[in-house]
Amino acid sequence: MDLALNGKVALVTGSSRGIGRGIALALAAEGCDLVLTGRDRRALDEVADAIRVRGCKAVVVPLDLREDGAPGKLIDATRRAFGRLDILVNNAGTTKRGDFFELSEADWQDGFALKFFAHVRLARAAWPLLKERRGSLVTIGGTSGRKPEAAFTIGSSVNAACAAFTKALAHRGKEDGVQVNCIHPSFVETDRQWRRIKAEMEKTGESEMVVRRRITSEAGITRFGKVEDVADLVAFLVSARATWMHGATIDLDGGEIAVL
């Protein structure tokens, strides 16, 4: 299936590892040139090298999107490098797990600072370029935004806010010709997920296989997701094959059981 992405320019935040890295590589495989950003310059350079081997261009812009002016600097760098932007994937950001009464005000502020407020500012900064190209914006949230849980109060709140913001922005997108959608991934095989599995192994003394089976059973999912599962969906969403998909929030969760 030809996704007609060859020659498009995509900006992926948090693209040094995990889901962001997978999305960047998937878009490069479809012929996109990439702007990569995150806080780890060395990791970003490694992703850029992998993209260039595929024959695509890759520009690395290391920065912290929580800092004042960072979104504007990132879009300025994109404009200087390519003169345009077709695709923006708001992916960066992690939030702290833990008991509500043990989480600090700083934990809450940090959780919203990168995964919500920084991407609100980045969407605003990127919008003129996306409008000019009739481009696409995809937000990577998380299923906790749909099914909040006590152990993940910050993440649940942030992901719900991301989905609501994306839906609201999609209404503006209809006027300006910018496609806007959100994806809620569930349990995906990333370094972060491995740390969670390892912590459970240390806490319970159970083997990795037992912990994995327990998590998938409790969540009611067929298996852990792969980075490629998310990346391939993003590539399809921003392609010419999915132009009628607009304002959607897609649960990519392996059939996860809802608690609400």
Side-chain angles (χ1 to χ4, degrees):
M1 180 184 292
D2 182 9
L3 298 182
L5 291 175
N6 190 56
K8 301 283 188 180
V9 175
L11 165 57
V12 182
T13 69
S15 42
S16 61
R17 55 179 54 84
I19 290 174
R21 178 181 184 277
I23 292 170
L25 294 177
L27 292 175
E30 296 296 331
C32 291
D33 295 321
L34 271 298
V35 179
L36 308 172
T37 189
R39 289 173 283 179
D40 187 337
R41 176 63 187 254
R42 180 178 296 181
L44 289 170
D45 285 338
E46 291 176 357
V47 180
D49 289 342
I51 289 171
R52 292 169 186 140
V53 167
R54 300 171 185 260
C56 297
K57 298 176 182 178
V59 173
V60 171
V61 187
L63 48 71
D64 186 338
L65 281 169
R66 294 172 297 184
E67 296 179 356
D68 291 342
K73 292 177 183 178
L74 181 55
I75 295 304
D76 286 345
T78 301
R79 186 182 290 106
R80 288 195 301 271
F82 296 109
R84 66 189 192 280
L85 179 64
D86 300 285
I87 300 161
L88 171 60
V89 182
N90 277 336
N91 165 75
T94 59
T95 51
K96 188 175 181 179
R97 301 183 70 86
D99 182 89
F100 171 67
F101 294 103
E102 295 178 359
L103 294 167
S104 68
E105 184 72 16
D107 292 331
W108 280 86
Q109 291 176 348
D110 187 64
F112 272 92
L114 181 57
K115 194 162 186 178
F116 183 73
F117 287 116
H119 285 152
V120 168
R121 295 194 294 269
L122 182 56
R124 183 187 296 117
W127 198 260
L129 291 180
L130 293 173
K131 180 179 178 180
E132 181 179 321
R133 299 288 295 181
R134 300 188 69 82
S136 299
L137 185 155
V138 177
T139 296
I140 305 300
T143 51
S144 65
R146 175 179 56 83
K147 46 180 290 293
E149 54 179 308
F152 201 38
T153 50
I154 298 177
S156 298
S157 302
V158 171
N159 287 327
C162 286
F165 169 69
T166 304
K167 181 66 174 179
L169 197 60
H171 286 289
R172 180 57 185 261
K174 288 186 288 186
E175 299 176 17
D176 292 347
V178 179
Q179 180 196 36
V180 184
N181 290 292
C182 177
I183 299 173
H184 276 340
S186 181
F187 297 89
V188 179
E189 294 274 10
T190 61
D191 290 341
R192 184 185 183 196
Q193 191 63 248
W194 167 243
R195 288 194 297 271
R196 184 180 177 186
I197 292 170
K198 188 176 180 180
E200 281 295 307
M201 291 167 59
E202 294 173 351
K203 177 182 177 181
T204 63
E206 297 171 336
S207 68
E208 179 183 345
M209 182 178 296
V210 170
V211 170
R212 285 178 175 274
R213 285 178 176 172
R214 176 161 52 80
I215 292 175
T216 55
S217 176
E218 290 176 353
I221 57 178
T222 56
R223 61 170 172 83
F224 279 92
K226 299 178 181 179
V227 166
E228 291 79 9
D229 292 323
V230 185
D232 289 346
L233 178 55
V234 170
F236 176 74
L237 274 182
V238 301
S239 77
R241 298 282 183 167
T243 55
W244 205 40
M245 183 71 75
H246 186 82
T249 297
I250 302 171
D251 292 331
L252 187 60
D253 62 5
E256 185 173 356
I257 297 172
V259 297
L260 296 179

